[in-house]
């Protein structure tokens, strides 16, 4: 038979045991050790993967705008590069300065540099790596390939880098610009009427300046989507160029 | 000792042991249930966070037809930020209200080279937001006080981009508007919605293969962009058969 002291000690003993064991159990299941970190890492990996997909999708969307804006700037600068435009003001300046000459290769290269510089400026602001741009022609289309071998994404203890490669196809015919250039530099012109008769391109606008003839040609509008049923892009490429005028002594 | 004697001596011990075990079982089960519930709460929160990306993709990239042109908010938003035409803003608001649940907080801000997304104050309680709204034309499409926000920069033009703020939770991706990519799929969705009289909520909308958004309301189908009032109820409409016959192309209906 248990005595009275025995009846008091035993429940206290049980309470202590329950307290100690349940605290142990709680600590065991809520262990924030390696298992928890492993779980966090997987979540971070999945979240980072989704974040990177979103960011890269936005980059690819932005690339289209950079291509269009670069073409607009390229056409406005007569097809000259930003380096050439400092020295070359007229299409026939190549007669005085070899660096001012243009041909199909140079036009394509100049456009490529415009796109690459513009897109990399944006990419840097987004905290992503630099891209190399390549351009190919296919009928009346230009295919721009963007490539960055090392786009880094980081979140807490997770970091990965991917090779980001994508293409943007736009309807723009570089042959037209080359054709216009070849016709325009063939011979010097005395005035706008003379120039328009010789160049023979419809809707080519010409204005006379003191020493030069100034031309503008409004090209087709761009579209956001692949077909003409999509929204029109707000900027239109306008080819602007100047030619020296024959000064006839009176 | 006989067997009865053994039981007689150990009976109090047995009773105590059983009571103790029962107490242990109850307390341990309680601790276990409490911990598991807390952990699963954290997990579902994280999963919900992943769904933010699905929401953004759906919201920005769902193709719709407006003013006879196929577009998506990824294009409409930067265009508005560049041109600032009021009709573009109305269109963004309408498409947003169709695609998202009204309680999904979303704030859209136009930014330029001087203002970045991070410069837009995201404290809803501060007065800064109000000042910003007046100065920089931030468009509050639907604002509910939230702190768990995801902010992204929508690419745009050189001097005009947009920031979009959405909350990271409190939406259900099963409530996205149905898109149909084939005539057959479109027909079956129209028949299903009209047969079950689904004329409430996101399920009453469907995007046709021509990208027109249709709403089923008052036993009629109407174009959700041009033929609805501010509450997105149909002002006029056509029957399900007429809609099927014209294949959901608003120009042909």
């Amino acid at each position: 038979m248990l005595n009275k002291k025995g009846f008091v000690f035993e429940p206290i003993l049980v309470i202590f045991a329950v307290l100690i064991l349940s605290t142990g159990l709680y600590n065991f299941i809520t262990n924030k050790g390696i298992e928890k970190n492993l779980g966090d890492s997987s979540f971070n990996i999945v979240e980072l993967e989704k974040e990177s997909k979103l960011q890269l999708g936005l980059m690819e969307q932005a690339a289209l705008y950079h291509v269009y804006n670069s073409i607009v700037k390229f056409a406005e600068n007569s097809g000259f590069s930003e380096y050439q435009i400092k020295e070359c003001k007229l299409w026939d300046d190549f007669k005085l300065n070899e660096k001012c000459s243009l041909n199909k290769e140079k036009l394509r290269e100049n456009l490529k540099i415009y796109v690459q510089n513009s897109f990399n400026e944006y990419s840097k602001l987004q905290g992503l790596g630099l891209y190399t741009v390549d351009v190919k022609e296919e009928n009346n289309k230009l295919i721009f390939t963007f490539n960055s071998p090392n786009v880094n994404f980081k979140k807490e203890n997770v970091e990965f880098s991917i090779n980001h490669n994508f293409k943007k196809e736009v309807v723009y015919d570089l042959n037209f610009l080359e054709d216009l250039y070849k016709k325009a530099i063939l011979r010097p012109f005395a005035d706008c009427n003379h120039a328009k008769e010789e160049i023979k391109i419809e809707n080519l606008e010409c204005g006379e300046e003191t020493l030069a003839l100034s031309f503008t040609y409004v090209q087709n509008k761009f579209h956001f989507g692949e077909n003409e049923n999509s929204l029109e892009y707000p900027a239109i490429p306008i080819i602007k160029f100047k030619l020296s005028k024959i000064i006839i002594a009176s | 000792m006989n067997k009865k004697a053994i039981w007689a001596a150990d009976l109090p011990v047995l009773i105590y042991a059983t009571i103790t075990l029962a107490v242990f079982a109850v307390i341990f089960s309680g601790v276990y249930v409490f911990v598991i519930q807390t952990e699963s709460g954290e997990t579902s929160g994280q999963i919900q966070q992943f769904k933010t990306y699905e929401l953004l993709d759906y919201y920005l990239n769902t193709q719709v037809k407006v003013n006879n042109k196929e577009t998506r908010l990824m294009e409409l938003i930067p265009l508005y930020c560049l041109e600032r035409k009021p009709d573009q803003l109305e269109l963004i608001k309408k498409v947003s209200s169709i695609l998202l649940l009204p309680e999904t907080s979303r704030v859209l801000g136009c930014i330029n080279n001087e203002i970045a997304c991070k410069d837009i104050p995201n404290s809803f309680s501060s007065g800064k937001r109000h000042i910003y709204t007046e100065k920089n034309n931030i468009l509050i499409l639907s604002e509910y006080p939230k702190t768990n926000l995801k902010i992204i920069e929508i690419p745009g033009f050189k001097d005009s981009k947009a920031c979009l703020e959405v909350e990271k939770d409190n939406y259900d991706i099963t409530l996205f508007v149905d898109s149909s990519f084939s005539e057959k799929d479109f027909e079956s969705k129209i028949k299903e919605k009209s047969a079950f009289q689904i004329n409430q909520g996101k399920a009453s909308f469907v995007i046709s293969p021509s990208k027109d958004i249709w709403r089923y309301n008052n036993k009629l189908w109407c174009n959700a962009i041009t033929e609805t009032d501010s509450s997105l109820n149909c002002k006029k409409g056509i029957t399900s058969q007429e809609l099927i016959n014209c294949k959901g192309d608003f120009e042909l209906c």
Side-chain angles (χ1 to χ4, degrees):
Chain A
M1 203 58 191
L2 289 168
N3 61 20
K4 278 183 187 173
K5 277 187 182 175
F7 275 112
V8 177
F9 284 125
E10 192 144 338
I12 293 171
L13 201 67
V14 169
I15 289 165
F16 269 108
V18 166
L19 272 175
I20 291 162
L21 289 172
S22 47
T23 313
L25 178 72
Y26 182 83
N27 281 334
F28 177 73
I29 12 185
T30 57
N31 192 349
K32 304 280 178 191
I34 197 157
E35 299 90 345
K36 175 72 179 154
N37 288 337
L38 280 174
D40 277 355
S41 297
S42 339
F43 273 117
N44 285 344
I45 290 167
V46 179
E47 197 183 1
L48 196 59
E49 191 254 338
K50 286 187 178 283
E51 178 71 40
S52 62
K53 265 191 184 172
L54 174 75
Q55 277 238 27
L56 296 179
L58 293 170
M59 288 291 286
E60 288 176 25
Q61 178 68 24
L64 181 71
Y65 303 158
H66 284 272
V67 168
Y68 284 157
N69 290 347
S70 298
I71 292 174
V72 169
K73 196 172 176 184
F74 165 78
E76 200 177 294
N77 286 350
S78 325
F80 289 129
S81 67
E82 280 180 322
Y83 172 74
Q84 279 177 311
I85 204 83
K86 288 175 189 163
E87 295 184 29
C88 315
K89 302 295 170 205
L90 312 168
W91 261 2
D92 49 3
D93 273 351
F94 71 94
K95 292 169 186 167
L96 307 166
N97 185 348
E98 175 59 24
K99 286 174 189 168
C100 297
S101 72
L102 289 172
N103 56 37
K104 185 69 167 294
E105 281 296 304
K106 267 195 176 166
L107 288 172
R108 202 188 303 124
E109 179 66 18
N110 287 350
L111 180 56
K112 187 192 95 170
I113 303 288
Y114 276 111
V115 174
Q116 191 167 282
N117 289 350
S118 168
F119 189 66
N120 279 335
E121 204 176 301
Y122 174 74
S123 174
K124 264 193 275 178
L125 283 174
Q126 300 302 309
L128 299 174
L130 294 178
Y131 285 75
T132 51
V133 177
D134 194 27
V135 57
K136 278 182 186 165
E137 289 176 74
E138 212 175 88
N139 302 323
N140 64 339
K141 286 179 179 171
L142 292 174
I143 301 162
F144 292 86
T145 309
F146 295 78
N147 184 43
S148 180
N150 216 11
V151 182
N152 280 303
F153 292 94
K154 195 178 177 184
K155 183 179 165 64
E156 289 170 21
N157 55 342
V158 180
E159 186 177 2
F160 67 82
S161 65
I162 58 163
N163 181 358
H164 189 208
N165 193 305
F166 65 95
K167 286 181 181 177
K168 284 285 157 192
E169 202 176 284
V170 298
V171 179
Y172 190 78
D173 192 1
L174 263 187
N175 291 321
F176 177 80
L177 185 60
E178 189 203 15
D179 187 43
L180 180 60
Y181 176 74
K182 281 181 179 169
K183 283 178 180 169
I185 60 165
L186 205 59
R187 63 178 65 88
F189 305 113
D191 54 38
C192 279
N193 288 337
H194 182 208
K196 280 168 118 176
E197 270 174 31
E198 290 289 325
I199 297 172
K200 284 180 189 156
I201 285 178
E202 271 184 48
N203 302 325
L204 180 68
E205 296 292 322
C206 177
E208 292 197 25
E209 294 176 10
T210 319
L211 298 169
L213 299 173
S214 175
F215 297 86
T216 53
Y217 182 82
V218 180
Q219 296 192 278
N220 291 337
K221 287 174 179 175
F222 292 130
H223 286 264
F224 279 102
E226 284 170 8
N227 56 41
E228 296 207 344
N229 201 21
S230 60
L231 279 184
E232 283 168 0
Y233 192 76
I236 304 166
I238 302 169
I239 299 173
K240 291 182 181 174
F241 65 94
K242 284 183 181 182
L243 295 171
S244 56
K245 195 164 86 172
I246 303 172
I247 308 293
I248 302 164
S250 52
Chain B
M1 274 204 286
N2 64 19
K3 282 179 186 172
K4 277 185 181 174
I6 293 170
W7 281 114
D10 289 343
L11 196 61
V13 177
L14 267 173
I15 292 165
Y16 270 108
T18 312
I19 292 168
T20 311
L21 276 173
V23 171
F24 271 53
V26 169
I27 291 174
F28 284 8
S29 309
V31 169
Y32 183 76
V33 168
F34 171 73
V35 171
I36 292 302
Q37 274 183 348
T38 318
E39 292 282 305
S40 65
E42 281 173 22
T43 311
S44 67
Q46 280 165 311
I47 289 168
Q48 194 70 41
Q49 203 156 308
F50 297 156
K51 289 180 184 169
T52 318
Y53 297 99
E54 287 169 52
L55 175 85
L56 285 169
D57 182 42
Y58 158 78
Y59 179 65
L60 293 173
N61 292 316
T62 298
Q63 289 275 352
V64 292
K65 197 184 261 181
V66 290
N67 301 333
N68 262 335
K69 298 278 180 191
E70 264 182 48
T71 187
R72 53 205 170 117
L73 283 167
M74 180 79 106
E75 295 161 359
L76 278 176
I77 290 170
L79 201 59
Y80 167 73
C81 284
L82 181 76
E83 297 174 345
R84 307 283 176 118
K85 290 180 186 167
D87 55 324
Q88 291 169 335
L89 176 58
E90 287 311 307
L91 220 48
I92 293 169
K93 281 183 178 174
K94 195 143 198 181
V95 175
S96 297
S97 63
I98 292 167
L99 293 179
L100 298 177
L101 292 171
E103 62 267 27
T104 310
S105 177
R106 49 200 183 269
V107 176
L108 187 69
C110 292
I111 53 167
N112 54 33
N113 283 345
E114 288 161 18
I115 310 159
C117 274
K118 62 178 168 56
D119 299 328
I120 296 176
N122 59 4
S123 165
F124 284 78
S125 54
S126 76
K128 281 181 186 173
R129 166 85 67 190
H130 180 64
I131 296 162
Y132 227 82
T133 307
E134 285 178 353
K135 278 190 178 173
N136 297 293
N137 204 6
I138 281 184
L139 321 165
I140 297 168
L141 299 177
S142 168
E143 187 179 33
Y144 282 76
K146 292 285 170 189
T147 48
N148 195 16
L149 295 166
K150 169 95 187 148
I151 304 172
I152 61 158
E153 186 185 301
I154 299 173
F157 312 100
K158 199 167 185 184
D159 290 326
S160 68
K161 290 169 206 146
C163 282
L164 178 72
E165 242 179 39
V166 290
E167 60 184 289
K168 284 184 178 176
D169 45 31
N170 195 29
Y171 58 84
D172 185 353
I173 59 166
T174 58
L175 294 175
F176 286 177
V177 169
D178 278 334
S179 278
S180 48
F181 298 96
S182 69
E183 281 175 31
K184 208 178 165 186
D185 182 32
F186 179 67
E187 193 180 324
S188 69
K189 279 185 174 128
I190 296 302
K191 282 179 179 171
E192 183 194 325
K193 286 172 198 291
S194 44
F196 290 101
Q197 297 284 308
I198 304 168
N199 51 18
Q200 290 296 317
K202 297 295 162 204
S204 62
F205 292 89
V206 64
I207 299 172
S208 69
S210 64
K211 307 301 171 200
D212 289 299
I213 313 175
W214 294 94
R215 164 107 209 252
Y216 186 64
N217 189 225
N218 297 326
K219 296 183 180 177
L220 287 174
W221 288 94
C222 65
N223 186 298
I225 304 278
T226 55
E227 296 175 333
T228 51
D229 57 22
S230 56
S231 311
L232 297 173
N233 288 320
C234 291
K235 289 189 282 191
K236 56 178 182 174
I238 55 173
T239 63
S240 302
Q241 196 51 53
E242 283 171 330
L243 182 60
I244 291 167
N245 290 345
C246 63
K247 297 161 188 170
D249 188 336
F250 186 58
E251 276 184 87
L252 304 174
C253 290

